[in-house]
């Protein structure tokens, strides 16, 4: 236990003020090893107040590891005369209560006062000295143990220090280095004098920089080095030392030189086998004792020798055509596994058992083979090192192989790209048919032949698939590609071997028929239309292809290839306009029609910008009460030059020219604006219905467009109904379905237009969020004369009622039609019986004067 604190002896008390002001810590202990003096400097050093230690055992102040036997050590000195510490200075760690560590230089003295032997410790804070010394020690380790060669020069630019790596790199002893000038040691036959001058200038402190040059080992070997020199300035700003750090970049330079020579050969478009042989020779020159071999792996997974300049010819012949596999030497196995294979002893390794009689007689005892992989992951070949000793690759060999594999892959890819480009120059990559370039040559050749025979005619058939975009968008491009391949095959089946079937791109094909008149061309066109109409099995679905064909004839239509193609293309568009799935011969008047069509398309674009389009509104009437259910917005085009253009014409133009989406968005915003304006006038119009094309529902931004239109007009979602066609229902693309569901999720009603005319309509109403179905006007028109029409109309109304859907009958024009539908309890009717589509002002007038409907009639 600690003794109670007591007053220090008189002598200590006399010197107390002096000791208290000392800058070093002073600790005095009495004969019981208790602290009797602890000055202010000691408080600062230990980080504790003297009240915590005065009168207590000094153990609390010593390092933790020394506390247990501390008293015994003092007693050995006090009673045994052991003076190992007294009169000496030692560095001791001081652990402060806050967890920090400081260092003190402790000097211990003892003195006897009266009968008591006192010990006084004088402790100086040397924490910074210790830290600085440790840093210097670590720095010395860094300098001496680093792999970088370091030397330091003095004011006279002679070496004053060189680390171990410098000694190892250049072969000089430290004694030979100290006092020498670096340029005298490093200069050799191929050293650039300017490099040494630059190195000397750097050491003079002109700047800090990095440079590369050839230096020399003591034994004369060349060493490529990268050197960085950092001048060290004294207090006066003069260079007192220069620190030079050098890296051995010999191997890097050798690889760079190898890469440069091989890449230059590739750039010169040298043959692949010549480039491969160059790689082998370059490697063998810088890696003595290694024999290189490069093998290709063909499409049938067989080995094909490419370059092995140091192997006998019979060796390569024996490997030619060997299939790769799990136990086919180093190369065949590496190609099979797709990873390197190291065989340190060919004689005993089972991978080489069937093949070891090839390498062993010529002194090859080990083999390391690595696969050459292309960007697509395919193993195109192997790169192998053979050794004359039983060994494996060194780190240097690994760097070489890594570089060579990339070079070989590059050379192979360049070779394959050239071959691919050659194929692309003449053939379509998907179908294998002649492409546009070869088609041009074929037409020119036939025209040249026909020019010598006036009776010889040539027919060009320009084919374009109808609705092919729908296949791509609905089933995906893989299905579209499969369909195109099958169409190409069928086209070839319909022509003679001497005829040419070409794919221009996309869904366009051209057939060139030599010695063919108009009658024969028509027969071929008819066969093609029938052949393509037979369903094609694509991903489990039977797809039939409709095709539009335009035909031009040489020499009657033109004697020029470009004009023949242009005229056939023009005739093809005429076939599309005639209803598709047909063919047409070119006639001069078609150019005028094409020109007119272009003029109309441009006029439609300008009208959309200038506001010449407008919406008319046809009322939709409640069947039972005669009240207003809503209005359908219908686009009208009144052009300043062409007058009223019927919707059937300009909507088709919009679809063909890509304007339909822009027109649909305009109609959506305008209809919402008009409904909001009417409601602001106090008119009670429940909803407005807008037609959108299938293309709108392929646009993932449609929900945002609809929401923005409603927000701009200040309308609730249930004020808007969007009419969708069977084309949307047929589109089973997930993105389209998600878009439909997202629009319905806004609260907007969806109406299925022309219900009953398509095979998919019935299934669609149960799988998609449809709120309304529209009975097609073709059924309504024949209600009075056709029993089947009445049956279909009754069925549609009952389907809607059973599914809780609103049924809208279109095209109601007579009173008997209205009474029949009213008797079926058809929810809504629209048609000329009530009103045609009206301009906004005319619709308001109609709304104010409309008369109520008569009551419903009984239906048997």
């Amino acid at each position: 236990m600690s003794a109670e604190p007591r007053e220090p002896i008189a002598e200590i008390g006399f010197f107390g003020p002096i000791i208290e002001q000392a800058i070093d810590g002073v600790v005095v202990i009495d004969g019981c090893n208790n602290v009797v003096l602890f000055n202010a400097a000691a408080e600062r050093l230990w980080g504790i107040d003297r009240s915590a230690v005065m009168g207590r055992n000094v153990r609390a102040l010593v390092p933790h590891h020394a506390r247990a036997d501390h008293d015994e050590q003092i007693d050995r000195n006090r009673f045994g005369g052991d003076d190992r510490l007294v009169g000496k200075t030692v560095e001791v760690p001081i652990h402060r209560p806050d967890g920090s560590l400081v260092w003190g230089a402790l000097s211990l003295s003892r003195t006897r006062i009266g009968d008591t032997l006192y010990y006084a410790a004088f402790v100086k804070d040397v924490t910074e000295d210790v830290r600085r010394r440790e840093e210097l020690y670590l720095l010395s380790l860094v300098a001496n143990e680093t792999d970088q060669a370091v030397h330091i020069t003095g004011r006279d630019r002679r070496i004053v220090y060189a680390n171990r790596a410098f000694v190892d790199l250049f072969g000089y002893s430290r004694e030979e280095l100290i006092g020498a000038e670096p340029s005298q040691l490093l200069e050799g036959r191929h050293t650039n004098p300017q490099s040494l001058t630059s190195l000397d200038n750097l050491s003079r402190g002109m700047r800090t920089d990095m440079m590369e040059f050839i230096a020399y080992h003591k034994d004369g070997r060349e060493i490529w080095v990268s050197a960085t020199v950092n001048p060290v300035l004294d207090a006066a700003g003069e260079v007192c030392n220069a620190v030079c750090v050098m890296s051995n970049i010999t191997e890097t330079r050798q690889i760079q030189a190898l890469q440069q020579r091989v890449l230059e050969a590739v750039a010169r478009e040298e043959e692949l086998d010549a480039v491969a042989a160059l790689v082998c020779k370059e490697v063998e020159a810088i890696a003595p004792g290694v024999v290189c071999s490069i093998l290709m792996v063909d499409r049938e997974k067989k080995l094909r020798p490419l370059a092995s300049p140091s192997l006998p010819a019979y060796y390569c012949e024996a490997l030619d055509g060997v299939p790769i596999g799990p136990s086919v030497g180093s190369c065949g196995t590496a190609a099979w596994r797709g990873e390197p294979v190291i065989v340190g002893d060919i004689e005993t390794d089972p991978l080489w058992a069937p093949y070891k009689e090839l390498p062993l007689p010529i002194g090859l005892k080990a083999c390391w083979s690595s696969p050459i992989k292309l960007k697509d992951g395919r193993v195109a070949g192997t790169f192998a090192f053979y050794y004359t000793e039983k060994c494996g690759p060194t780190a240097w060999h690994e760097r070489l192989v890594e570089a060579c594999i990339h070079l070989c892959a590059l050379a192979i890819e360049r070779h394959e790209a050239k071959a691919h480009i050659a194929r692309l120059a003449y053939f379509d990559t998907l179908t294998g048919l002649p492409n546009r370039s070869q088609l041009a040559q074929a037409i020119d050749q036939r025209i040249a032949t026909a020019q010598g025979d006036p009776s010889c005619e040539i027919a060009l058939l320009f084919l374009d698939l109808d609705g092919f975009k729908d296949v791509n968008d609905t089933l995906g491009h893989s299905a579209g590609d499969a369909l195109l391949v099958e169409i190409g095959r069928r086209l070839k089946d319909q022509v003679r071997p001497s005829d040419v079937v070409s794919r221009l791109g996309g869904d366009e094909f051209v057939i060139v028929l030599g010695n063919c008149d108009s009658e024969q061309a028509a027969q071929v066109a008819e066969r093609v239309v029938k052949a393509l109409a037979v369903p094609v099995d694509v991903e489990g679905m039977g797809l039939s292809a409709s095709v539009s064909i335009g035909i031009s004839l040489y020499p009657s239509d033109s004697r020029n290839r470009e004009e023949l193609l242009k005229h056939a293309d023009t005739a093809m568009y005429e076939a599309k306009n005639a209803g598709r799935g047909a063919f047409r011969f070119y006639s001069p008047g078609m150019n005028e029609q094409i020109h007119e069509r272009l003029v109309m398309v441009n006029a439609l674009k300008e009208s959309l910008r200038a506001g010449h389009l407008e919406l008319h509104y046809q009322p939709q009437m409640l069947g039972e009460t005669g009240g207003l259910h809503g209005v359908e917005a219908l686009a009208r085009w009144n052009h300043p030059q062409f007058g009223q253009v019927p919707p059937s014409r300009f909507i088709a133009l919009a679809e063909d020219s890509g304007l339909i989406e822009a027109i649909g968005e305009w109609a959506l915003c305008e209809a919402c604006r008009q409904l909001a304006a009417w409601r602001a006038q106090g008119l009670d119009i429940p909803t407005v219905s807008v037609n959108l094309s299938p293309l709108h529902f392929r646009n993932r931004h449609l929900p945002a467009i609809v929401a923005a239109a409603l927000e701009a007009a200040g309308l609730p979602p249930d004020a808007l109904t969007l009419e969708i066609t069977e084309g949307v229902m047929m589109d089973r693309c997930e993105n389209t379905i998600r878009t439909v569901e997202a629009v319905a999720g806004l609260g907007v009603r969806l109406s299925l237009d022309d219900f009953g005319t398509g095979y998919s309509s019935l299934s669609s109403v149960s799988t998609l969020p449809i709120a309304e179905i529209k009975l097609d006007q073709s059924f309504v028109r024949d209600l009075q004369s056709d029993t089947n029409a009445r049956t279909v109309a009754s069925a549609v109304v009952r389907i809607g009622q059973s599914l809780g859907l609103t049924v809208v009958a279109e095209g109601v024009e007579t009173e008997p039609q209205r009474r029949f539908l009213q008797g079926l309890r058809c929810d809504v009717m629209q048609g000329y019986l009530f009103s045609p589509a009206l301009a906004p002002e005319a619709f308001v007038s109609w709304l104010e004067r409309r008369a109520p409907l008569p009551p419903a009639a009984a239906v048997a």
Side-chain angles (χ1 to χ4, degrees), residues 149 151 213 328 343 456 506 566-567 584-585 856:
H151 75 268
F213 59 93
V328 185
V343 172
C456 182
K566 178 182 176 182
H567 292 339
R584 290 289 185 273
F585 282 90

Side-chain angles (χ1 to χ4, degrees), residues 552-599:
S552 65
L553 300 173
Y554 171 92
S556 58
D557 292 331
S558 177
R559 296 175 178 270
N560 177 276
R561 165 171 47 87
E562 292 296 335
E563 285 190 350
L564 284 171
L565 285 170
K566 178 182 176 182
H567 292 339
D569 187 24
T570 300
M572 182 273 295
Y573 275 106
E574 184 65 22
K576 280 191 179 293
N577 293 333
R580 307 186 178 189
F583 65 89
R584 290 289 185 273
F585 282 90
Y586 170 75
S587 65
M590 289 181 179
N591 287 333
E592 297 178 5
Q593 296 172 4
I594 295 296
H595 175 72
E596 180 184 352
R597 180 180 179 277
L598 291 175
V599 170

